[in-house]
Amino acid sequence: MMKIAVASGKGGTGKTFIATNIFYTLLKNNYRAMLIDCDAEAPNSVAFFVTKLINELEVSQLVPVINPDSCTFCGKCHEYCNYNAIFILPPMKIIKVIEDLCHGCGACSVACKAGAISEKPISLGKVALYSTDRLPILIEARMNIGVMSPIPVIKEAIKQIDNKSDFVILDAPPGTSCPFIQSTIVADYVILVTEPTPFGLSDLKQSVETLKSINKPYGVIINRAGLGNNDVFKYLIKNEIPLLLEIPFNKQIAVLYSDGKLVSESDSFFAKQMLTVVENIMGKYGNSNIKW
Amino acid sequence: MEIAILSGKGGTGKSCISAAFATLNGKVVLADCDVDAANLYLIFNPAHEEEVIYVSGSKAFIDYSLCTNCRLCINYCRFDAISLINDKILISEIACDGCVLCSRICPENAIKMVANSKSRMYSGSFRNGKMVYGRLSPGEENSGKLVNMVRKKARETAKLNAIDTIILDGPPGIGCPVISTLAGVDRVVIVTEPTISGLHDMERLMGIVQKFNLNAFVIINKYDLNISISTRIKTWCKENRITLADELPFDKNMVEAMVQGKSIIEFNPYSEISKKIKIIWNKVTNQKK
């Protein structure tokens, strides 16, 4: 099995565009493939496929429930909470849990010696499993609106990876902070998608530095080539970063994507390019069997 | 007045629109709240007057001279960050959430917390006012606290320099940093694009905006890329009583301006887009709250 993450520092460079087209092409070529949409704040991959929902997993975390009758207002839970999620006014005998700030670490329960803290689950989002027949092949992480962090939902989605797959494509969220790391750390290889603009280059540099720090092999796809300038190309040459593919700016591609259509469905040349990118990566980095 | 520019989906043109707003006429404080991928400094090249270290929590590290392999920490950690590999307790820096519980319960006091102190906040002057921006160190939790710090600095700077307008260029998504960008602003401008992803992500973002009881103005950027989805967005806005500010055509000059380190207003003040952006700005700033 080979796991490939499709990522970018900058939003809107074409991560979902590449991930969905690679996934489609792999299926068409009879590979056993899975697509995991890790962009839990803004998941969009599912809309490109005709699938049916076969299962939905609720993702929750535990938050403390404080029983004011047994609470001694000692303040220990407040002291143990590193997220400022417990508000306490001992003289007024007021104690409140701010659930939005809680990370569910359980420290307050450990701190409480009065047995006043129990825990209850609260919903953070869903992991949806989609299929074209019986086996789930498309997994979507979807954070609830108003939830602070997408991390727990992303982790649950990644747990659904079927080890019998030939390829797993992970569509990562933008940026280089925690959600990016969680989605790329499990991958054997990372495809960075960028555009040849100053913003694209700046965010690409940041992604490259991040991937170096976690020792991931990576290569770059330049999307919308022809717009902007040549600085991205110069950067890749200077730093000896492999350019996997250059996709010229083409209004037709943009229109197909905007309608939720897959370019590789109608454009066999593009489909071949997608397949070649993945097969080349497989040839070079396959069977590395990374554990995490 | 504080105006937040957001989108849900990334790459719809938030920063280009923010840059245009920032160069229309009066002096502004421009705050780049996309601390995970700050880009506006590339256009405005601000002179740094201040650099502040932002500490974003801490991570647990083991002092092996004290660790007795009792494994108590493994049982307590809820983030699956601690494991025993080859008879050695290991803490994964990536999985560690910095809750400090392991350090508190370790009977040997063998776990120390080390602060994440690689993130920064910068502030200084640019050609049309003052600029504040944050740079989150890769891999760190984007909790919104750095955004709060940027916004606090922006308010102080505005007061100190008697500037009325604060423009907040927001991050993509709908999570914590977006919520921090939205809280307490006067106006919200949502930049979307006519793609199914753009529409879907905007709908999710509006779920957050409505929780704050804010009026939003929607700009459909590159509207001519897909007229039928643009129409769907307009209908959706109407049904949900959201003001459509205007729609902007796809124009390569937006990219060309960026390449030259200019906003579209500076690059071509008389273009159709520039004219429209001026009208949008007046609409957004003049509307009674």
Side-chain angles (χ1 to χ4, degrees), chain A residues 41 44 82-83 103 143 176 258, chain B residues 97-98 139 174-175 200 204 226:
Chain A
E41 290 182 51
N44 290 317
N82 208 34
Y83 307 104
H103 285 214
M143 183 182 94
T176 51
S258 72
Chain B
D97 200 71
I174 62 164
H200 167 258
R204 276 169 73 77
N226 191 324

Side-chain angles (χ1 to χ4, degrees), chain A residues 11-12 40-44 79-80 82-83 103-104 119 142-143 146 148 175-178 185 203 206 210 255 258-260, chain B residues 10-11 36 39 78 94 97-100 104 135 138-141 173-176 194 196-197 200-201 204 225-226 229:
Chain A
E41 290 182 51
N44 290 317
E79 181 200 321
Y80 263 48
N82 208 34
Y83 307 104
H103 285 214
E119 290 183 295
R142 179 175 288 259
M143 183 182 94
M148 298 287 172
T176 51
S177 65
C178 214
I185 195 75
D203 297 339
Q206 211 173 317
T210 309
V255 171
S258 72
D259 271 327
Chain B
D36 201 0
N39 283 139
R78 289 203 182 164
I94 286 156
D97 200 71
C99 75
V100 200
R104 293 189 201 274
R135 296 212 77 172
E140 288 190 8
E141 189 200 3
I174 62 164
C176 208
I196 49 156
S197 322
H200 167 258
D201 297 345
R204 276 169 73 77
L225 225 48
N226 191 324
I229 297 187

Side-chain angles (χ1 to χ4, degrees), chain A:
Chain A
M1 176 177 58
M2 173 133 206
K3 295 186 267 263
I4 301 171
V6 183
S8 78
K10 184 177 176 332
T13 56
K15 284 178 296 301
T16 301
F17 168 59
I18 298 293
T20 51
N21 278 290
I22 286 179
F23 175 61
Y24 174 83
T25 311
L26 285 170
L27 292 178
K28 277 281 149 197
N29 285 273
N30 299 316
Y31 282 109
R32 201 159 158 183
M34 261 184 131
L35 175 64
I36 319 278
D37 189 347
C38 298
D39 192 358
E41 290 182 51
N44 290 317
S45 290
V46 172
F48 291 85
F49 299 93
V50 182
T51 51
K52 66 174 193 286
L53 181 68
I54 54 168
N55 199 5
E56 213 169 30
L57 312 168
E58 192 70 37
V59 182
S60 61
Q61 82 163 58
L62 293 173
V63 294
V65 180
I66 302 175
N67 178 357
D69 297 331
S70 23
C71 177
T72 59
F73 299 92
C74 70
K76 198 86 181 155
C77 55
H78 169 77
E79 181 200 321
Y80 263 48
C81 178
N82 208 34
Y83 307 104
N84 293 317
I86 296 177
F87 174 79
I88 183 168
L89 276 174
M92 321 278 291
K93 293 211 183 297
I94 290 174
I95 186 156
K96 282 211 155 62
V97 176
I98 305 150
E99 290 181 359
D100 281 347
L101 296 179
C102 176
H103 285 214
C105 72
C108 53
S109 301
V110 174
C112 184
K113 299 295 174 225
I117 300 185
S118 55
E119 290 183 295
K120 66 166 185 191
I122 54 163
S123 172
L124 299 177
K126 283 191 171 76
V127 170
L129 288 73
Y130 293 88
S131 172
T132 43
D133 50 62
R134 274 182 322 109
L135 292 171
I137 49 167
L138 210 175
I139 312 292
E140 179 197 75
R142 179 175 288 259
M143 183 182 94
N144 289 346
I145 291 172
V147 166
M148 298 287 172
S149 167
I151 299 294
V153 190
I154 295 174
K155 280 185 172 171
E156 189 60 39
I158 289 171
K159 278 190 197 156
Q160 308 308 317
I161 289 177
D162 179 353
N163 288 319
K164 292 193 205 88
S165 315
D166 299 318
F167 287 98
V168 176
I169 308 300
L170 300 129
D171 186 1
T176 51
S177 65
C178 214
F180 168 88
I181 298 279
Q182 292 296 344
S183 318
T184 51
I185 195 75
V186 295
D188 304 299
Y189 189 90
V190 181
I191 296 174
L192 290 172
V193 185
T194 190
E195 57 179 35
T197 64
F199 290 0
L201 175 59
S202 166
D203 297 339
L204 174 68
K205 285 179 182 167
Q206 211 173 317
S207 320
V208 165
E209 289 314 309
T210 309
L211 291 177
K212 275 187 189 163
S213 75
I214 57 170
N215 280 318
K216 286 285 164 197
Y218 58 90
V220 172
I221 291 181
I222 296 183
N223 193 14
R224 307 190 190 108
L227 284 183
N229 60 14
N230 285 326
D231 290 353
V232 171
F233 296 91
K234 288 183 198 155
Y235 167 78
L236 294 185
I237 292 166
K238 194 177 163 218
N239 292 279
E240 295 175 355
I241 297 168
L243 174 62
L244 304 171
L245 182 67
E246 215 180 295
I247 302 168
F249 175 75
N250 173 336
K251 223 167 171 174
Q252 201 49 45
I253 292 180
V255 171
L256 279 173
Y257 181 84
S258 72
D259 271 327
K261 294 198 177 94
L262 294 158
V263 176
S264 43
E265 204 172 345
S266 54
D267 183 338
S268 61
F269 177 71
F270 185 76
K272 186 87 191 49
Q273 285 184 316
M274 290 287 107
L275 191 64
T276 308
V277 164
V278 176
E279 287 182 338
N280 283 347
I281 294 170
M282 181 68 173
K284 210 165 168 194
Y285 298 94
N287 307 319
S288 60
N289 230 340
I290 289 180
K291 289 267 188 301
W292 58 293

